[in-house]
Amino acid sequence: MKKPIKFTATNEDIRDTENGNEKKKENIRSVGYFQLFRLATWKDVMMMVVGGLCALLHGTALPLMLLVYGRLTDTFVNYEFEVQELKDPNKTCTNNTIYWRNGSIYETVAKTTVYCGIDIEAEMTIFAYYFTGIGLGVSLVSYFQIFCWVIAAARQVQRLRKAYFQKIMQMDIGWFDCNSVGELNTRLADDINTINYAIADQASILIEKISAFVFGFMVGFIGGWKLTLVVIAVSPLICIAAGLMAVTVARLAGQELKAYAKAGTVAEEVLSSVRTVAAFCGEQKEVDRYDRNLVEALKWGVKKGTTIGIFQGFLWCITFLYYALGFWYGSQLVIESKELSPGSLIQVFLGVLIGAMNLGQASPCLKAFASGRAAAKVIFEIIDQEPEIDRFSEGGYKLDKVKGDIEFHNVTFYYPSRPEVKVLNELSMQVKAGETTAFIGPSGSGKSTIIQLIQRFYNPQEGMVTLDGHDICTLNIQWLRSLIGIVEQEPALFATTIAENIRFGRPGVTMEDIIQATKEANAYNFIMDLPQKFDTLVGDGGDQMSGGQKQRIALARALIRNPKILLLDMATSALDNESEAVVQEALDKTRMGRTTISIAHRLSTIKNADVIIGFECGQAVEKGTHKELLERQGVYFTLITLQNQGTTSAANDGFSKTLEEDFDLKSRSLSSGSSKIRTVSTVQPWSGSNLSNTMSNTMKIHLGKEVTPENECEDEADDQVQLVPMARILKYNQPEWPYMLLGSLGAAINGFSNPMYSVLFSEILGVFGRIDLEKQRELINWICVLFCIMAIIRFFSHFIQEYAFARSGELLTCRLRKLGFQAMLRQEIGWFNDPRNSIGVLTTRLASDASAVRGATGCQIGMIVNSLTNIGASFGIALYFSWKLSLVTVCFLLLIGLSGMFQARMLTGFAHEDKKAMETAGQTSNEALSNIRTIAGLAKEKIFVESYEQKLELPYKCAKKKANIYGLCFCFSNCVFIMAYAASYRYGGHLVSSEGLHYMIVFRVISAIVTSGIALGRITSLTPDYAKAKIAAAEIFKLLDRVPKISIDHKDGKKWDNFRGKIEFHNCKFTYPTRPDIQVLNGLSVSVKPGQTLALVGSSGCGKSTSVQLLERFYDPEEGQVLIDSHPSHTVNVPFLRSQIGIVSQEPVLFGCSIAENIRYGDNTRSISMEEVVEAAKKAYLHDFVMTLPDKYETQVGAQGSQLSRGEKQRIAVARAIVRNPKILLLDEATSALDTESEKMVQAALDEARKGRTCIVIAHRLSTIQTADIIAVMSHGVIIEQGTHAELMTMKGSYYKLFTTGSPIS
């Protein structure tokens, strides 16, 4: 009895490991502020220093203006005193002093003289010059402030992306076993964007605010130290609140990012397995699973918004209480002790106020920094991590001469993700140079693990592996892997041309070398029959090729390396008989003189090996030649005996040897025939790695001359994204209208409080122009009480605003993510074939688009309502008191508005360009990380790093353009504000002089308009985010609006009760959407009655798997019909149809959950009891194996079933199909990848499952389909003969030749 050794960790172990990881993460010190800039070069540092100095100077502008403003205030107050005193006809102004008409000097109650003769217009002209000078200076420094920081950030972020990606590509394979590819991609897209936001303009604005804070306080101390010390007492409260907010928000942001990363992992897993999801009607189940992770992110997002609301409400409350304290105590110093003039009071008060306000306004920057630090923590943790096996290492020996002797010395090994399961147990064995050594044994015995140790994907925990007597751990890793050529059962091809895929094997090879390699691999003929020949793009993971075609391209890639060591891990398992014979002969030739290790389950292919080693439970239990092992009657004897059982002819194993010659003759005659029937190359088989690597291309497929003008127009139309109106975005926020209404109310109160400040501020200034001191005291007390009331209101209104909009914004984000994901799963399978819808693009879109939409919703709406209320109230106040002065001031604000519109227009364009560029880079990173083992085996990590780095050039160029436009708009708006002061006070002086306007009205109007200008500036500052939001929303709505060509809606199409399972194909013609020039099915006609078994046989690429996909309605035929119980398939309800079909494929996809959950996935329309799961497992011969596992049915299978052997995965897939209780069963090469023992079990399970069901079987091993009711022989998309096994043998046609001699199908 074989002891199963491939099982997963217990839940307890998993929990312990997770807890350990959590503790480890907690111990990692948070990333410091300056560590965010750790990748800056001296040039970046210089730019940041220049930008920082400019931001510093920009911060001094307002305090500098206050010095002018204080003198301006005193001038107005003195002028008002003069006007009031000279209203007395007994007083006159002589020599700038007021005299009584009798010639004596006029003295006030305080025994002071009153100066007069102020030319208010001349004085205001001088002040206007001061303001203009400051404005010009600000325009210069503010431009360089933004430009330098945005450029420096773009350079650093580009370097950060490169460093992060390079480090990931440098990590050992064991690290990838413990880290999700989906999460890594999400962090590459989302988290680094968060860091960019933190270190770009936000950093410069933070310096500006701190500078304004420091210099504001300095101006305060210069004007009056007593008042400054009193009001400065509130500053520690502001600092503590800001600090606590930054720390809390950082922690909450980190938790939110972690939850979104988990959701990204789910999305990546589902989209990469979209065919399996569609086949088992699991769309809603996966949407719910994705949504559960979004709900977790929502919880943390709302907590973050609540925290911000409390702290910012507190900051505003403190600010208004500060107004009350400052004005009350300041008025005492002006009125009672005469230590300050009104101008000095304003200078001190506004100086400290500006300092405190800028410190408060720095909180969004601190929030950005906090989020950036949270994101950087994980990013830098990975960058700083040292891999156990450094794939980029230049160290290690390179042997001058390599013989190829490989030896294992007492090697013990377990996988990092499952340390409690020993895979190899003190293994000792020798593979001699130049010999062919075959490994045999049951699934899970450690054969493939040995291959990975030879490639040094892992290091053994004990013992060592040597090459020519040298421990491979001491050899240069890149050099070692360059000696090795490998062909695997599930070869990964890259999204480029066939020629480039082969060239990955060895750079610098000529086209002649490539052609020779393809001939040796029996790939040349099918390649030459393609329209683009060697320039044909294979699609993502090779999904535009059939399984056999992929394997032959991978074999050519291995052969062109001319390796010293050749590793064949079931290299011909996906091939039909004819291809296998030719490829096997090629392998026999190529392994001459090389050290070759071959793993095969078809034992007939390894009879001629020099040495055969039998494995069981991680140990080599026998060794010898074919003859010796048969005589010993051990493991090998048992396996070969099992394999020979049930075959109708003992000579069957040798049939394929005569294939190559006949295949060449037939294929040549076919390709040169007058019928011009093209060899099918775009069959996308259900089986193989196509299931685990979705139908998604990471490169655009150019079909050259074959593309029609209609197609081109269609592509161009698809690329054009129409911007959506704001109303439509808000429509998706409709369920949260109570929150939005409450938040808008809070925002409106907040917006109204600023104009009220202008009114109260001007009232205080007006008080100092009164002669009655008692009246002054009374008014000031009332004003201070009003400030206290406003402080309390502001606390609650700000909390309400932040909480309500945070909740509505997070709910919208989650809803759009969910709807986007739902819309993706709603699309027909052909949509995923489009290179614009590759996994990398779709996962990046899910991660970034919904988040970007928050730039136009959520908290941004609160800011807009706040600002609009502010602007409306300010304008109303200003126009009411002086429409003339208001109009002059407003002219400058119009310029700011135009600047904002221009900025929005330009940045929208840049956002679109940047988004497209980052999606392209995302495709490259996704392809690299998804195929990391293949890349490691080929030692081509650096090529992908270089390719990714090239893709980052375009976003960098966009950032440089953006820096210029953003900098110019920023400097213009800042300059215009100061110019507005210059013009407004100059004109105000004129109105005071000529029209007798009270100076208090001048301050009130200008203060109100400037307040509205600040609000307008806030709206303008939203333009970059708003631009991104509009683009992102357009992409989301484009997806949501798309009507799939094949609807999976439960309401569409026919359903009927008595489903029988009769299937008919009538003259079906079909081409894949991405390859309209190649006819896959060319008039397919075949039928199968209920309860019958139809077997489809034929060469790789003849259309067998395509016919299955038409039946599943992954595609619809272009001509002809598929009839289900006499109903045309396109009229049948898709979920209903698929619910009647169960499928078992060659390499089934499992999901990263428990065995029980994977079996339950067979029927997602109901709740499946544990008893049903167990019953299905027993029918699939799975139950006994499961019961040996520590966690039994709760055992986690790993990502795509990576923790299980192939046989175990296959039996779970059979149980999944059985629990569905389907009327139609599809078996696509269901046992071709299995070892003999596993195959017998699975075949028995399948035979049991077929009883009473309509069954379609695709098989290359003809012995497995002899009992089928109908055997249909396919060639080039048509049925060329059909009948039972006996009938076809009597006909002595293509089937007879294939069965008896292995001749190809003609």
Side-chain angles (χ1 to χ4, degrees):
M1 185 76 170
K2 178 175 81 78
K3 181 183 177 184
I5 63 165
K6 294 262 299 182
F7 55 84
T8 60
T10 64
N11 283 343
E12 255 181 42
D13 293 329
I14 291 168
R15 281 193 295 272
D16 290 344
T17 305
E18 286 176 353
N19 290 340
N21 290 339
E22 289 301 320
K23 286 175 186 173
K24 184 178 175 185
K25 285 183 181 179
E26 284 171 14
N27 290 334
I28 297 166
R29 190 165 58 87
S30 296
V31 173
Y33 288 112
F34 293 107
Q35 283 180 291
L36 285 173
F37 305 100
R38 57 184 279 184
L39 295 181
T41 61
W42 68 268
K43 189 173 180 181
D44 299 328
V45 172
M46 286 302 297
M47 291 187 77
M48 289 189 292
V49 167
V50 171
L53 286 172
C54 289
L56 194 71
L57 291 172
H58 186 189
T60 65
L62 276 177
L64 192 61
M65 284 176 64
L66 286 180
L67 296 174
V68 180
Y69 198 74
R71 289 178 54 194
L72 180 146
T73 303
D74 281 338
T75 302
F76 268 125
V77 170
N78 291 335
Y79 180 76
E80 180 62 22
F81 273 135
E82 177 186 343
V83 170
Q84 288 193 31
E85 293 292 350
L86 291 178
K87 284 180 181 178
D88 187 344
N90 295 318
K91 298 173 187 173
T92 184
C93 180
T94 307
N95 296 327
N96 296 328
T97 305
I98 293 181
Y99 286 82
W100 292 105
R101 289 281 182 185
N102 60 14
S104 61
I105 295 177
Y106 168 73
E107 290 183 348
T108 63
V109 177
K111 303 297 182 181
T112 58
T113 59
V114 178
Y115 293 95
C116 62
I118 298 171
D119 186 347
I120 194 68
E121 290 199 53
E123 292 289 334
M124 290 302 116
T125 301
I126 294 170
F127 292 134
Y129 287 145
Y130 288 146
F131 283 135
T132 303
I134 294 170
L136 293 174
V138 164
S139 66
L140 185 67
V141 296
S142 59
Y143 169 76
F144 285 107
Q145 167 191 341
I146 293 295
F147 176 79
C148 291
W149 275 95
V150 171
I151 290 288
R155 287 163 56 87
Q156 289 172 76
V157 165
Q158 185 189 35
R159 212 170 290 119
L160 180 60
R161 288 188 199 277
K162 289 178 181 179
Y164 180 67
F165 185 69
Q166 183 172 340
K167 177 59 74 167
I168 291 174
M169 296 300 288
Q170 190 178 350
M171 300 305 287
D172 54 274
I173 298 299
W175 185 83
F176 282 92
D177 291 344
C178 305
N179 288 275
S180 159
V181 169
E183 186 171 335
L184 294 173
N185 272 321
T186 301
R187 294 202 180 282
L188 193 60
D190 223 8
D191 289 13
I192 294 182
N193 284 341
T194 305
I195 295 171
N196 181 36
Y197 183 65
I199 66 173
D201 55 327
Q202 292 298 310
S204 71
I205 292 170
L206 179 65
I207 294 171
E208 176 199 330
K209 299 299 180 188
I210 291 173
S211 170
F213 164 70
V214 172
F215 284 98
F217 274 64
M218 285 177 60
V219 166
F221 276 110
I222 291 168
W225 63 270
K226 283 185 181 179
L227 177 58
T228 303
L229 285 177
V230 168
V231 295
I232 209 173
V234 300
S235 296
L237 292 174
I238 294 174
C239 294
I240 290 168
L244 284 174
M245 183 175 74
V247 171
T248 310
V249 167
R251 185 178 64 82
L252 295 173
Q255 294 292 339
E256 185 182 18
L257 287 171
K258 193 185 294 182
Y260 277 130
K262 285 180 182 176
T265 302
V266 171
E268 197 272 339
E269 180 185 35
V270 171
L271 293 173
S272 65
S273 311
V274 70
R275 288 166 171 260
T276 302
V277 173
F280 289 99
C281 303
E283 292 91 352
Q284 190 55 48
K285 186 171 187 173
E286 296 303 343
V287 168
D288 293 340
R289 183 158 72 105
Y290 182 69
D291 189 42
R292 282 195 293 274
N293 285 289
L294 294 181
V295 169
E296 184 70 14
L298 168 69
K299 182 180 76 174
W300 292 111
V302 172
K303 283 184 178 179
K304 185 176 75 172
T306 305
T307 303
I308 291 170
I310 290 171
F311 280 109
Q312 289 201 344
F314 177 75
L315 287 171
W316 277 106
C317 178
I318 292 296
T319 301
F320 274 89
L321 290 175
Y322 157 80
Y323 292 162
L325 175 64
F327 280 128
W328 179 81
Y329 183 66
S331 65
Q332 300 303 309
L333 296 177
V334 173
I335 299 169
E336 306 297 341
S337 62
K338 309 293 184 183
E339 293 180 38
L340 295 177
S341 67
S344 299
L345 167 61
I346 296 304
Q347 177 184 319
V348 172
F349 178 78
L350 290 182
V352 180
L353 173 64
I354 283 171
M357 287 290 287
N358 275 277
L359 195 61
Q361 287 168 5
S363 61
C365 305
L366 293 172
K367 174 185 166 186
F369 260 109
S371 298
R373 289 172 66 201
K377 180 178 177 182
V378 181
I379 299 291
F380 288 146
E381 179 191 343
I382 290 173
I383 290 174
D384 292 337
Q385 199 169 340
E386 288 303 321
E388 184 182 344
I389 301 171
D390 186 352
R391 294 192 278 149
F392 288 177
S393 173
E394 298 296 331
Y397 299 107
K398 297 180 183 179
L399 306 181
D400 295 329
K401 187 177 180 182
V402 178
K403 285 173 59 185
D405 283 321
I406 299 170
E407 194 166 355
F408 279 63
H409 301 270
N410 294 317
V411 170
T412 297
F413 176 75
Y414 52 78
Y415 285 101
S417 56
R418 294 183 303 154
E420 76 291 342
V421 180
K422 278 188 181 179
V423 182
L424 299 180
N425 190 12
E426 297 183 358
L427 172 67
S428 294
M429 67 165 194
Q430 185 178 14
V431 177
K432 291 183 179 178
E435 288 188 349
T436 296
T437 303
F439 293 169
I440 59 102
S443 292
S445 59
K447 304 184 298 296
S448 295
T449 300
I450 294 168
I451 296 285
Q452 297 187 69
L453 290 180
I454 292 171
Q455 292 177 277
R456 214 185 153 208
F457 284 176
Y458 305 92
N459 286 333
Q461 276 75 36
E462 295 176 24
M464 67 176 177
V465 182
T466 61
L467 173 64
D468 294 346
H470 298 269
D471 186 349
I472 63 170
C473 292
T474 65
L475 301 177
N476 180 274
I477 191 167
Q478 296 274 325
W479 174 82
L480 171 66
R481 290 176 181 171
S482 71
L483 302 175
I484 300 171
I486 183 165
V487 184
E488 298 172 287
Q489 180 195 0
E490 306 163 40
L493 301 184
F494 302 105
T496 181
T497 63
I498 292 174
E500 286 302 315
N501 265 289
I502 297 170
R503 198 171 274 120
F504 268 111
R506 182 159 58 96
V509 294
T510 63
M511 200 62 209
E512 289 73 23
D513 295 329
I514 293 173
I515 290 170
Q516 183 58 37
T518 55
K519 285 180 177 177
E520 290 178 7
N522 191 30
Y524 181 74
N525 288 337
F526 91 77
I527 293 172
M528 295 309 291
D529 284 333
L530 299 172
Q532 306 297 316
K533 298 181 172 56
F534 282 92
D535 291 327
T536 301
L537 290 160
V538 302
D540 184 23
D543 60 13
Q544 299 298 305
M545 302 283 120
S546 73
Q549 291 163 349
K550 285 168 60 179
Q551 205 140 31
R552 281 176 273 175
I553 293 169
L555 180 57
R557 181 172 66 192
L559 295 178
I560 208 166
R561 286 172 82 82
N562 191 22
K564 295 284 185 183
I565 301 166
L566 188 60
L567 307 177
L568 306 173
D569 190 354
M570 289 189 285
T572 61
S573 64
L575 303 183
D576 55 83
N577 288 350
E578 55 193 86
S579 297
E580 182 185 18
V582 179
V583 171
Q584 193 62 49
E585 189 173 337
L587 290 174
D588 292 340
K589 289 178 185 175
T590 55
R591 66 193 189 194
M592 299 293 289
R594 292 187 172 98
T595 303
T596 304
I597 296 176
S598 177
I599 298 175
H601 289 149
R602 299 188 199 180
L603 302 183
S604 59
T605 63
I606 55 154
K607 282 181 182 178
N608 299 325
D610 299 300
V611 179
I612 299 171
I613 301 177
F615 289 89
E616 198 166 31
C617 299
Q619 293 180 323
V621 294
E622 61 183 26
K623 178 179 181 181
T625 63
H626 170 71
K627 187 176 180 181
E628 290 168 353
L629 294 180
L630 283 179
E631 290 172 356
R632 192 176 298 176
Q633 296 192 0
V635 174
Y636 182 71
F637 176 80
T638 305
L639 291 174
I640 207 162
T641 304
L642 282 169
Q643 196 164 91
N644 286 333
Q645 287 176 1
T647 58
T648 57
S649 172
N652 216 21
D653 290 334
F655 289 160
S656 60
K657 292 181 181 177
T658 59
L659 247 114
E660 183 175 15
E661 190 177 340
D662 291 338
F663 180 81
D664 285 344
L665 288 170
K666 295 288 183 183
S667 58
R668 285 193 192 106
S669 65
L670 206 65
S671 61
S672 60
S674 58
S675 63
K676 295 185 181 177
I677 298 173
R678 286 182 287 247
T679 300
V680 179
S681 66
T682 57
V683 176
Q684 299 148 334
W686 178 272
S687 58
S689 60
N690 294 325
L691 258 166
S692 54
N693 303 318
T694 50
M695 297 298 300
S696 60
N697 306 325
T698 55
M699 292 181 68
K700 189 167 184 178
I701 295 178
H702 300 281
L703 297 174
K705 296 177 183 177
E706 301 293 331
V707 177
T708 63
E710 290 80 10
N711 287 339
E712 287 179 355
C713 294
E714 203 174 290
D715 289 344
E716 286 172 16
D718 284 346
D719 282 335
Q720 292 172 357
V721 179
Q722 298 296 322
L723 294 182
V724 293
M726 186 69 187
R728 185 168 182 196
I729 300 174
L730 292 176
K731 184 180 176 184
Y732 281 85
N733 230 160
Q734 196 171 1
E736 288 74 52
W737 72 265
Y739 289 108
M740 295 177 72
L741 187 63
L742 189 64
S744 297
L745 179 64
I749 294 171
N750 289 333
F752 190 72
S753 65
N754 288 326
M756 283 304 298
Y757 159 77
S758 300
V759 172
L760 297 178
F761 172 71
S762 61
E763 277 294 333
I764 283 180
L765 290 180
V767 166
F768 294 123
R770 291 176 177 270
I771 297 174
D772 187 346
L773 294 180
E774 198 57 43
K775 192 67 174 175
Q776 284 185 12
R777 295 187 187 97
E778 186 182 336
L779 287 172
I780 285 171
N781 288 339
W782 270 109
I783 292 169
C784 291
V785 169
L786 289 174
F787 271 126
C788 292
I789 294 169
M790 286 180 66
I792 296 167
I793 293 171
R794 194 69 191 260
F795 173 78
F796 288 105
S797 63
H798 212 93
F799 168 73
I800 290 168
Q801 176 188 335
E802 290 292 335
Y803 167 76
F805 281 116
R807 189 168 185 83
S808 68
E810 291 292 340
L811 283 166
L812 176 66
T813 302
C814 289
R815 185 173 295 117
L816 289 177
R817 281 187 189 245
K818 181 181 177 180
L819 288 171
F821 186 59
Q822 203 168 28
M824 288 174 187
L825 294 185
R826 194 174 64 234
Q827 304 306 317
E828 74 280 1
I829 296 298
W831 183 76
F832 293 92
N833 295 2
D834 192 321
R836 289 167 295 189
N837 302 321
S838 67
I839 305 171
V841 169
L842 296 179
T843 50
T844 302
R845 198 172 287 170
L846 277 174
S848 56
D849 281 3
S851 298
V853 171
R854 278 189 293 189
T857 59
C859 295
Q860 308 289 31
I861 295 179
M863 195 176 288
I864 290 168
V865 171
N866 183 323
S867 299
L868 291 178
T869 308
N870 189 334
I871 292 167
S874 298
F875 269 68
I877 290 168
L879 289 170
Y880 175 78
F881 286 102
S882 175
W883 65 269
K884 290 182 180 179
L885 183 56
S886 299
L887 291 179
V888 170
T889 312
V890 165
C891 289
F892 290 89
L893 296 186
L894 292 176
L895 293 174
I896 296 171
L898 292 172
S899 167
M901 289 170 61
F902 174 74
Q903 182 179 345
R905 195 176 194 79
M906 296 300 293
L907 293 182
T908 301
F910 293 143
H912 186 63
E913 287 178 35
D914 190 49
K915 185 176 182 300
K916 290 295 179 188
M918 285 313 303
E919 281 182 359
T920 306
Q923 292 172 21
T924 302
S925 66
N926 185 72
E927 182 182 36
L929 298 181
S930 298
N931 300 310
I932 193 67
R933 288 174 182 270
T934 302
I935 293 169
L938 294 168
K940 298 300 177 193
E941 296 92 345
K942 291 181 181 177
I943 289 176
F944 277 87
V945 169
E946 288 169 8
S947 172
Y948 182 73
E949 289 178 355
Q950 286 173 2
K951 301 280 176 32
L952 292 177
E953 287 302 315
L954 190 55
Y956 175 60
K957 288 177 182 175
C958 289
K960 287 202 290 188
K961 290 180 188 174
K962 173 185 169 182
N964 269 308
I965 299 298
Y966 186 15
L968 286 170
C969 293
F970 186 73
C971 83
F972 181 76
S973 58
N974 278 294
C975 176
V976 168
F977 265 122
I978 301 174
M979 295 301 180
Y981 269 102
S984 301
Y985 279 110
R986 172 64 188 84
Y987 186 63
H990 168 72
L991 292 178
V992 169
S993 173
S994 61
E995 297 188 10
L997 187 70
H998 196 283
Y999 79 91
M1000 178 180 71
I1001 301 301
V1002 173
F1003 278 100
R1004 181 171 299 171
V1005 169
I1006 294 175
S1007 178
I1009 296 293
V1010 168
T1011 300
S1012 69
I1014 292 170
L1016 185 62
R1018 275 205 303 273
I1019 293 178
T1020 305
S1021 71
L1022 299 179
T1023 50
D1025 291 337
Y1026 185 73
K1028 289 179 186 175
K1030 294 280 278 186
I1031 294 292
E1035 291 286 359
I1036 289 172
F1037 291 129
K1038 178 186 170 187
L1039 177 62
L1040 297 181
D1041 293 341
R1042 186 183 185 274
V1043 179
K1045 293 177 182 176
I1046 299 173
S1047 171
I1048 62 167
D1049 196 302
H1050 288 270
K1051 298 175 184 175
D1052 296 338
K1054 299 177 184 174
K1055 300 179 186 178
W1056 57 96
D1057 295 330
N1058 186 24
F1059 190 95
R1060 296 165 58 227
K1062 182 182 177 183
I1063 302 167
E1064 300 168 84
F1065 289 84
H1066 285 305
N1067 196 31
C1068 290
K1069 294 185 179 180
F1070 177 73
T1071 60
Y1072 282 100
T1074 51
R1075 292 277 181 82
D1077 56 328
I1078 297 178
Q1079 198 74 35
V1080 182
L1081 297 182
N1082 197 14
L1084 174 67
S1085 294
V1086 68
S1087 62
V1088 56
K1089 294 177 182 176
Q1092 285 189 333
T1093 295
L1094 166 67
L1096 298 176
V1097 298
S1099 307
S1100 291
C1102 68
K1104 303 186 297 295
S1105 296
T1106 299
S1107 59
V1108 167
Q1109 296 187 64
L1110 292 186
L1111 180 58
E1112 285 269 14
R1113 275 206 80 196
F1114 288 169
Y1115 305 93
D1116 282 332
E1118 290 158 4
E1119 293 182 31
Q1121 286 185 325
V1122 180
L1123 300 180
I1124 316 292
D1125 286 355
S1126 302
H1127 298 278
S1129 62
H1130 66 274
T1131 66
V1132 180
N1133 179 271
V1134 173
F1136 168 73
L1137 173 61
R1138 290 177 184 168
S1139 70
Q1140 308 297 328
I1141 300 173
I1143 185 157
V1144 184
S1145 57
Q1146 178 185 9
E1147 186 61 31
V1149 168
L1150 302 183
F1151 295 95
C1153 50
S1154 68
I1155 291 174
E1157 282 303 312
N1158 270 288
I1159 295 173
R1160 285 192 180 102
Y1161 205 89
D1163 193 346
N1164 292 300
T1165 60
R1166 61 191 178 92
S1167 177
I1168 297 173
S1169 67
M1170 197 62 208
E1171 289 73 22
E1172 289 180 87
V1173 170
V1174 172
E1175 185 62 30
K1178 286 178 178 176
K1179 288 181 181 178
Y1181 293 86
L1182 175 71
H1183 179 70
D1184 291 341
F1185 155 72
V1186 174
M1187 295 310 288
T1188 64
L1189 302 176
D1191 287 333
K1192 300 181 171 53
Y1193 283 94
E1194 294 308 312
T1195 300
Q1196 299 294 311
V1197 304
Q1200 298 183 343
S1202 61
Q1203 301 296 309
L1204 301 176
S1205 71
R1206 293 185 182 96
E1208 292 153 6
K1209 287 166 64 177
Q1210 206 84 1
R1211 279 176 277 165
I1212 291 174
V1214 174
R1216 181 170 66 187
I1218 290 171
V1219 85
R1220 195 172 181 80
N1221 193 22
K1223 290 292 197 308
I1224 300 171
L1225 188 62
L1226 307 177
L1227 307 175
D1228 189 354
E1229 287 291 341
T1231 62
S1232 66
L1234 303 181
D1235 61 87
T1236 305
E1237 189 175 343
S1238 297
E1239 183 185 13
K1240 292 296 176 186
M1241 287 186 183
V1242 172
Q1243 191 62 52
L1246 293 175
D1247 292 342
E1248 180 72 24
R1250 278 163 49 180
K1251 291 178 182 177
R1253 294 185 170 98
T1254 304
C1255 187
I1256 296 180
V1257 183
I1258 296 173
H1260 288 148
R1261 301 190 198 179
L1262 302 184
S1263 60
T1264 63
I1265 50 103
Q1266 292 174 29
T1267 59
D1269 299 295
I1270 305 169
I1271 299 172
V1273 184
M1274 288 187 71
S1275 178
H1276 300 88
V1278 293
I1279 302 295
I1280 56 174
E1281 60 184 40
Q1282 61 177 307
T1284 64
H1285 171 73
E1287 289 169 352
L1288 292 177
M1289 293 298 285
T1290 305
M1291 288 169 61
K1292 294 191 176 180
S1294 297
Y1295 180 78
Y1296 174 81
K1297 290 178 183 177
L1298 183 64
F1299 191 83
T1300 57
T1301 66
S1303 295
I1305 295 166
S1306 57

